[in-house]
Structures are given as C-alpha cells and as structure tokens.
Amino acid sequence: MKLNKWTVGLAAVGAISLSSAVQAEETEMNVVNSMTSGTTISGYVSTAFSYNFNTANNGVDRADPLGDQKANGFALDVVNLTVEKPLDESEWAAGYKAELLFGPDATGYNPSENADDDSDFAIKQAYVNVRTPVGNGLEFKMGVFDTIIGYESFNYPDNPNYTRSLAWGLEPTQHTGLLASYQINDIVSVMGGIADTTDAAINKFAVDTGGANRTKDQWNLTYMGAVAVTAPEDMGALAGSTWYGGVLYGRTDAPSASTSVSSGGNQTSWYTGLTLATGVEGLSVGAAFDYLNYQDSGSAAADPNNGSAWVGGLYASFQASEKLSFHARGEYMRLNSAFATFVELDDSPAEAWEGTLTAQYDLWANVISRLEFRWDNRNYRDVGGWNDFGDAQGDLSNAYSIMLNVIHV
C-alpha cells in the first residue's frame, strides 16, 4: 500500500495513526475496485481518403448518408469511445454502457433538445442494463440505445463496407426509451420496447402542432418489436444462418419524409434481413428490405399522398485468407410519392441504384484497411438542387468514387 506524502506527514507528527490511515486507504481502494470491477473501455478511430471521378460539388460525391464533404481529400470520420460494464452471469445482473462519438460524423447524429446541432460530439448510446430471473433471463435497457432494425451499423468496424447503404439513410438510428429482450431458446430471440420518438434526438418528444388529423401530445410514443431466428447446428451447411424482422411505429417531430410537412406525423418502418451460410468455405450472402411509410397529420394543405419509400439490398462476403476478404453490396431505392431523403429525390416516383465493391486486408493487428469503389445512380428530373452529382454547373445522374479507409480498433 502506497500512502500519499500528506498522510505520512500527519502520521509522523501523531495527528493520525498510521494503522488507521492504512485501513482508510484500503477501504477507499476497495470501493473504487468494486465500482470499476468488470468495466471495459474500448473504441476506434476511423479515417479515410476519398476521390470522386466526377467534379465534386462542395464535397458531395455519392449518395452515402455519411459521405457529405469528404470528396477529393483526407478526412477524419469519427472517434468512438465506449465505457461499458456488461452483465455478468448472475440472475439479478446489472450493468451500463456509455458510447460517445467525436468528430465530423457525430454532427447532427443525435442532438439533444438543447444542444447545438453542429457539435462534433454526440452520445450514441447511454443506458442502464439489468436482468431479471424470468424464464431464461429477461433483460431490459433503459436510456438511449441503438435502433433495433437494419442490416448495417453506424460503427465503421461493424460493417462489411466503408460507405453506408441507401437503406441506412431511411432507418432510425437511436431511441430514448425502454427496451426488453428475451432469448426463448437457442433458435429464437425477441425484443420489444417503447421510446419517445422515431427521431435520433435525446430527450425530444413528438409534438403535433395541429391539423385535421391532429392527436394528443401527451402520449405520442414510439413502439417497436423484432424477432430473430438462427438455424441450429443440425441444419448442416445452413447452420448459423439468421433471419431477422422488425417494425417501428410512432410519432416523428422532424420527419425525413414529405417536403410539404412541417408539423410531424406517424411513421412506420418495416425491416427484414437474412444472412445465409452457403456451405462454401468463406462465403456468406445476405439480403435486406426496408419499407418506410409516413402519414402526415399536419394541415389540410399538406401533401395528400403523404410519403413512402422502400429499399432492397443484396450482400456478399468472401474470406479469401486469414487477412484478406472481399465484400459486395447492391441496392435499389424506390420513392413512391413526394418524399425528400438524403438522396434528394424530389420527384414522384423516383429511383436510385447503388453498387459497392470492397477489398479488406488486415496487415496490422487491430487495424482494418479497406479499398472501396462505389457507383451511385439517380433517375430524376432536374430540380436544381445543390446536392446534384457533379460540379455546380452539372446535373450528373451517375457518381463514381474510390475510398481508402483505415480503422484502428
């Protein structure tokens, strides 16, 4: 036990006893050790170089939801810092997770009600996690947690590609609320929960400002549920394949939908995804489908067609060697009515295509290195938007980009 100089000095002049000082120090250390026992600290740093074969307009070079302002130069994507105490094996286990984002990609990710939307800091997750001895163990998360739907994650290391899918831009990213999860058996697991809104905004509540279809403000919550089914070991080559389905329904105060809506409305997000083991060593394939429907509850002058959009995507990954892997993604997006998204497809109907090829080589320990090529296509009439592909004088339907991504985890 190492005592500080002030404690030793007091003991030397008889102001305190050395034995009591040692006992007090040990008590303090035991409290600290108890508080930090089982706590882990992790994170990553993602950086990239991007080149657009078109003439980029203000750095916008592709329909990637996180690709703005990154064309033709080096970029810091994000710094992730996670402090977590996972649940142990006890029946009444408790833990927590705090996941923080720093850097350009944190801007606007989840601004709280009173925060600056342009801040380079965001809270991605912050929740208390508990388990109750109900059946196989019923777990709850309360606080801010990731959305329960989607094939891809915000976190760069968790995705097969560097850039995000078109579908990722349609999906919610996080919620503030309560989420329950239960593992029925080795094959089936379920989740269900409630949250403030469908929006990624901490402590922000849905508000209906009026209109013919207005509803009460007091209890405009978001409801969600999901189920996952995993193929057991006795299914041979299909063992480990997983089907996932989920749905969210709730109020949104800042809709990503109809351009004529400013008062919020009801939003429903449907998702289904499949990751399939092929039986070919190193090869896996996947598919995902997202459908988003927005129902305006604003004034009668609002778009009577409301808004809807869907995205279908296919994925393939091949582990060629211990260090080398290849990943491919292809998507089609359809907008069925006036529905503004990050892709700026303002006409109805409108469509977009996206194809991505990625080569990953893990040369250094804990470092992910990726070289990626992406093609984007949009079929629409010229609306003069600043987000067009090409330079300020051009309205290009196609964008071609190449990216180098380096991540330390």
Side-chain angles (χ1 to χ4, degrees):
M1 175 64 65
K2 183 178 180 180
L3 301 176
N4 62 59
K5 294 181 179 179
W6 180 248
T7 302
V8 174
L10 291 176
V13 299
I16 61 173
S17 69
L18 193 58
S19 60
S20 64
V22 171
Q23 186 177 12
E25 290 278 351
E26 289 179 343
T27 300
E28 181 179 346
M29 288 302 298
N30 288 336
V31 171
V32 172
N33 289 336
S34 176
M35 293 175 60
T36 59
S37 176
T39 299
T40 62
I41 299 177
S42 60
Y44 67 88
V45 176
S46 178
T47 63
F49 174 82
S50 299
Y51 180 76
N52 177 24
F53 290 94
N54 301 347
T55 303
N57 176 18
N58 297 325
V60 179
D61 64 336
R62 57 185 182 267
D64 175 12
L66 295 177
D68 285 4
Q69 313 305 322
K70 293 183 180 179
N72 301 343
F74 294 92
L76 169 67
D77 297 314
V78 73
V79 177
N80 176 291
L81 177 63
T82 301
V83 180
E84 180 179 14
K85 184 178 182 181
L87 298 180
D88 57 31
E89 298 301 321
S90 62
E91 290 185 339
W92 294 95
Y96 69 91
K97 185 172 186 176
E99 187 173 3
L100 310 178
L101 304 177
F102 306 88
D105 283 359
T107 302
Y109 177 74
N110 60 339
S112 64
E113 186 67 12
N114 300 314
D116 179 2
D117 288 3
D118 294 327
S119 172
D120 276 5
F121 166 77
I123 298 174
K124 183 175 180 291
Q125 295 192 94
Y127 59 78
V128 176
N129 197 16
V130 297
R131 181 189 297 122
T132 59
V134 176
N136 296 326
L138 181 62
E139 297 183 9
F140 295 92
K141 295 179 182 178
M142 188 168 182
V144 181
F145 48 84
D146 287 339
T147 190
I148 64 172
I149 65 173
Y151 198 92
E152 297 182 8
S153 166
F154 171 88
N155 286 332
Y156 284 86
D158 297 337
N159 297 322
N161 308 103
Y162 165 64
T163 59
R164 297 304 183 285
S165 64
L166 300 177
W168 191 88
L170 283 185
E171 299 160 351
T173 54
Q174 64 168 196
H175 308 282
T176 305
L178 176 67
L179 181 67
S181 59
Y182 185 74
Q183 187 76 38
I184 298 176
N185 50 42
D186 292 339
I187 299 175
V188 181
S189 63
V190 294
M191 288 190 292
I194 56 176
D196 292 333
T197 72
T198 62
D199 305 328
I202 298 174
N203 294 352
K204 187 172 185 179
F205 308 103
V207 176
D208 193 338
T209 59
N213 300 319
R214 70 176 301 173
T215 58
K216 293 182 179 180
D217 296 340
Q218 289 86 344
W219 200 245
N220 290 326
L221 295 178
T222 291
Y223 305 90
M224 63 191 75
V227 59
V229 179
T230 302
E233 293 296 329
D234 59 8
M235 290 194 67
L238 294 178
S241 300
T242 302
W243 171 82
Y244 188 94
V247 60
L248 290 94
Y249 172 80
R251 300 288 296 170
T252 173
D253 189 42
S256 59
S258 174
T259 56
S260 59
V261 174
S262 60
S263 59
N266 296 320
Q267 184 168 296
T268 307
S269 296
W270 297 87
Y271 169 79
T272 184
L274 174 68
T275 300
L276 187 66
T278 63
V280 178
E281 184 177 359
L283 178 64
S284 62
V285 297
F289 180 82
D290 284 85
Y291 180 81
L292 177 62
N293 178 259
Y294 180 83
Q295 298 174 324
D296 170 43
S297 65
S299 66
D303 176 17
N305 296 320
N306 298 305
S308 64
W310 60 268
V311 181
L314 296 175
Y315 294 79
S317 294
F318 179 68
Q319 191 72 40
S321 67
E322 181 181 356
K323 295 181 178 294
L324 178 63
S325 59
F326 299 95
H327 310 274
R329 177 184 62 209
E331 291 182 287
Y332 172 76
M333 170 187 276
R334 176 77 174 187
L335 279 69
N336 298 317
S337 56
F339 192 95
T341 71
F342 63 93
V343 193
E344 294 295 321
L345 295 175
D346 295 330
D347 286 327
S348 172
E351 59 185 5
W353 297 83
E354 174 266 323
T356 301
L357 298 174
T358 307
Q360 177 175 319
Y361 193 79
D362 302 329
L363 178 60
W364 299 276
N366 302 318
V367 174
I368 299 172
S369 304
R370 294 168 173 161
L371 183 65
E372 182 165 302
F373 174 80
R374 174 166 175 150
W375 162 72
D376 290 285
N377 172 272
R378 300 183 297 185
N379 179 10
Y380 74 111
R381 295 189 303 272
D382 180 24
V383 294
W386 67 269
N387 204 25
D388 295 343
F389 293 142
D391 60 21
Q393 289 76 40
D395 316 322
L396 301 182
S397 297
N398 292 281
Y400 307 93
S401 306
I402 189 168
M403 288 75 64
L404 173 65
N405 178 219
V406 179
I407 309 170
H408 193 289
V409 295

